[in-house]
Amino acid sequence: MKSSVQFFRLLILSIIWLLFVSLSFSNTNDSYTTSPVELEFKTDGLYFAEFYDYIYRGHFENLEIKRDDMIFMLIFDKYLRAYGGKCDSYLPQNKVEIMNEVCKTEEVTKNGWGDVISRVCIEYTWVGSGLYAKPELYDAYAEIDQIQRSKGLNTMMQMITDPNSMGNSVDLIHKTNGLKNDMIKLFQMNACNSAGLKRFDENLELFALNKASIRMQQASKYTAMKKSGGPTGDQNFNKLIDDLVNDQSKTWAFNRYTAGSISNVQSSVRDSEGRPRELSANYSFSGFSGNSRGSVRITFENGLPKCIYFYDYPQNCKTPNSSILAAFAAGKYSK
């Protein structure tokens, strides 16, 4: 029992360490336009596009990610570091350094032959990262960090006792990879000194502090999409599934999806408007063992893809790319 607990403890600590250190940015500033005049924030194609758009618009009630979720702390952390790396020259004079918590003392366990069988950190310390943030945003992040620390033991026990713990752990790594790609593209799509990015900052802080947002009247296209639902009539489901799987594959650690390989698309049941409630298909990918075949199952809600389930983790729901869903809802996959 003790060895099992140690194993899970090491597994969880390794996953959390990977999530926090897998994304790094240099302090080099890129060039951006200096004359944005309209309040606009571009998120199309990003892994967490819907979340960013709702934060920007101040439509907190539509957010599925909550302020006390671990994934929100990860998004917040990576955004601060990305801004500090890409937009340092736009930070105020009273900017504050982002600190990293690193191990100071390890507890090392050896077997009878002197081989190290485990390493567990028992004492941590704080060191500067060389990246800086707006003080008000960093204070808001500190509050979210404290929420996660207070939940630490419960979070660990939930991960250990979860029957789908391995699938969820892999899913966290996928989300972190998606977040890594987001933080590269976000600052390519939005200038550091743009009004839209400033509004995103303001509402990100308010959301973290559980305060009322600066609200835009215009509804998000993601809200309109969910209200209208998916399209009726003949749709190119091969293309839709190909786009959804190809998008998901960008976060895979080892395997590489073969674009355009979707085959044997089947619909098990349809709703009253003739739209699928579930689709299944096969696809090809390459990995350590060469070319292989996999399968995917997609469930629908109100005519829109809701969850993507891959054959290797059939109980783990992958969230479809919201930009692809918006295009599907707008009829761009109609035959």
Side-chain angles (χ1 to χ4, degrees):
M1 178 63 182
K2 183 178 180 181
S3 60
S4 298
V5 172
Q6 286 181 337
F7 170 77
F8 279 113
R9 185 182 182 190
L10 288 170
L11 173 64
I12 292 164
L13 289 173
S14 298
I15 291 170
I16 293 173
W17 177 84
L18 174 64
L19 294 176
F20 277 96
V21 304
S22 61
L23 185 58
S24 61
F25 297 89
S26 70
N27 286 314
T28 303
N29 294 319
D30 294 339
S31 297
Y32 297 94
T33 58
T34 57
S35 58
V37 294
E38 295 183 359
L39 192 63
E40 181 184 30
F41 190 61
K42 299 176 182 178
T43 65
D44 277 354
L46 300 181
Y47 192 86
F48 290 100
E50 184 176 324
F51 173 81
Y52 304 138
D53 191 65
Y54 283 147
I55 289 288
Y56 158 68
R57 296 178 185 278
H59 298 178
F60 296 169
E61 73 280 3
N62 294 327
L63 290 167
E64 294 185 4
I65 297 174
K66 306 305 179 185
R67 66 187 287 267
D68 61 348
D69 290 345
M70 179 185 289
I71 192 63
F72 174 60
M73 186 179 72
L74 291 173
I75 292 172
F76 203 166
D77 177 76
K78 301 315 177 189
Y79 176 75
L80 289 178
R81 293 173 187 272
Y83 193 100
K86 298 291 185 179
C87 306
D88 181 67
S89 61
Y90 294 94
L91 290 170
Q93 289 186 349
N94 64 337
K95 63 185 181 181
V96 295
E97 188 171 15
I98 299 171
M99 304 299 288
N100 292 334
E101 190 175 22
V102 299
C103 186
K104 181 179 180 181
T105 306
E106 282 187 329
E107 181 181 74
V108 180
T109 303
K110 299 181 179 181
N111 60 20
W113 292 274
D115 300 321
V116 176
I117 59 175
S118 72
R119 291 179 179 272
V120 178
C121 188
I122 59 175
E123 184 181 7
Y124 291 86
T125 189
W126 293 95
V127 298
S129 67
L131 296 170
Y132 292 82
K134 298 175 182 177
E136 62 276 10
L137 268 180
Y138 199 51
D139 287 345
Y141 170 76
E143 183 164 324
I144 297 302
D145 180 63
Q146 188 58 44
I147 290 174
Q148 287 302 318
R149 289 177 186 277
S150 67
K151 294 173 58 179
L153 182 58
N154 287 336
T155 300
M156 181 173 290
M157 290 306 300
Q158 287 174 3
M159 293 178 71
I160 291 175
T161 58
D162 185 354
N164 192 33
S165 59
M166 186 59 70
N168 288 336
S169 298
V170 172
D171 188 48
L172 274 175
I173 295 173
H174 288 174
K175 288 178 179 177
T176 302
N177 288 337
L179 183 56
K180 175 181 177 179
N181 295 332
D182 280 1
M183 293 300 109
I184 294 172
K185 296 176 182 177
L186 185 67
F187 294 96
Q188 295 173 346
M189 298 163 63
N190 300 279
C192 291
N193 61 340
S194 67
L197 195 64
K198 180 180 178 181
R199 175 59 56 83
F200 178 79
D201 277 4
E202 292 169 337
N203 274 333
L204 185 65
E205 177 187 348
L206 292 170
F207 179 68
L209 297 176
N210 200 28
K211 294 182 178 181
S213 66
I214 303 172
R215 189 176 180 84
M216 296 180 65
Q217 292 185 350
Q218 183 181 16
S220 168
K221 68 177 181 180
Y222 303 117
T223 301
M225 166 191 75
K226 292 176 181 178
K227 185 176 181 181
S228 65
T232 57
D234 290 338
Q235 305 295 320
N236 189 344
F237 289 120
N238 276 69
K239 174 62 175 172
L240 175 65
I241 298 173
D242 180 53
D243 286 348
L244 290 172
V245 174
N246 192 36
D247 176 74
Q248 285 290 320
S249 71
K250 296 174 183 177
T251 69
W252 294 354
F254 303 110
N255 296 330
R256 295 293 178 265
Y257 171 64
T258 304
S261 65
I262 295 299
S263 64
N264 195 30
V265 176
Q266 296 183 10
S267 175
S268 58
V269 62
R270 293 180 178 268
D271 64 18
S272 59
E273 297 184 52
R275 302 174 301 187
R277 292 187 184 275
E278 184 175 306
L279 290 176
S280 62
N282 297 324
Y283 64 89
S284 300
F285 66 93
S286 59
F288 290 127
S289 58
N291 295 328
S292 302
R293 297 285 291 171
S295 61
V296 62
R297 181 173 63 92
I298 302 175
T299 59
F300 285 67
E301 185 177 281
N302 193 22
L304 292 171
K306 178 67 175 178
C307 279
I308 304 173
Y309 298 95
F310 289 95
Y311 75 101
D312 46 353
Y313 293 104
Q315 304 301 318
N316 190 255
C317 169
K318 304 287 189 183
T319 303
N321 184 294
S322 51
S323 298
I324 295 175
L325 298 193
F328 177 62
K332 295 184 179 180
Y333 288 84
S334 299
K335 288 185 177 180

